Amino acid sequence: MIHCGLLGREWQTMMFQLDEARTLRGFRKLLKGFNVSRDLVVVHNVIDFKLPLPLYKRSVIHQVRPTVDLSFARYRSQPIFDTRHQWNNWSPRKLILFDRLAKVCGPQKSEVQWD
């Protein structure tokens, strides 16, 4: 695992900054060297909303050039592994919320480490 955590948060203050273009540039920087045939972006419920809208459309608005072309094709697990869809075997009628999936699959509370 190369990165786990949140984008848009100041490390010194742990407060979120509101500069969308800066957050988008940070994400693009994380993807430098990303290989779509080898690497994964593991996220929850991105195929339907979270990645296509903010990362591509907002990047165009802020003129943030992509470093990699991510495919949002359904029924695939590479380069984007969507835990919501994989858990539900791509059924649109069976949806699981992230916090519920984390409770079912996650480590004990004493083992959780947040950056």
Side-chain angles (χ1 to χ4, degrees):
M1 183 179 309
I2 296 172
H3 181 80
C4 177
L6 301 170
L7 288 172
R9 187 173 68 180
E10 297 288 342
W11 289 105
Q12 299 83 4
T13 64
M14 301 303 277
M15 301 291 292
F16 286 96
Q17 51 86 11
L18 300 176
D19 185 345
E20 185 177 50
R22 180 176 167 195
T23 301
L24 290 167
R25 285 191 300 271
F27 182 74
R28 298 298 183 193
K29 186 177 177 183
L30 283 175
L31 290 181
K32 282 191 177 179
F34 186 88
N35 182 329
V36 295
S37 63
R38 177 195 67 214
D39 301 327
L40 288 175
V41 175
V42 180
V43 280
H44 189 78
N45 193 29
V46 297
I47 299 296
D48 295 328
F49 173 72
K50 293 179 184 172
L51 277 179
L53 176 64
L55 293 182
Y56 281 98
K57 294 177 182 178
R58 298 302 296 173
S59 292
V60 169
I61 291 167
H62 289 291
Q63 299 177 348
V64 176
R65 190 172 295 255
T67 54
V68 65
D69 185 25
L70 294 173
S71 170
F72 296 98
R74 291 184 171 275
Y75 312 109
R76 295 187 186 172
S77 60
Q78 188 114 9
I80 298 173
F81 188 93
D82 189 318
T83 57
R84 183 177 188 183
H85 288 292
Q86 293 294 328
W87 179 263
N88 298 319
N89 200 26
W90 292 92
S91 172
R93 291 176 281 151
K94 299 177 185 176
L95 301 177
I96 188 166
L97 298 175
F98 178 73
D99 62 335
R100 179 71 180 135
L101 183 59
K103 287 176 186 174
V104 170
C105 297
Q108 299 299 316
K109 288 183 179 184
S110 62
E111 299 175 21
V112 175
Q113 296 179 4
W114 302 99
D115 60 308

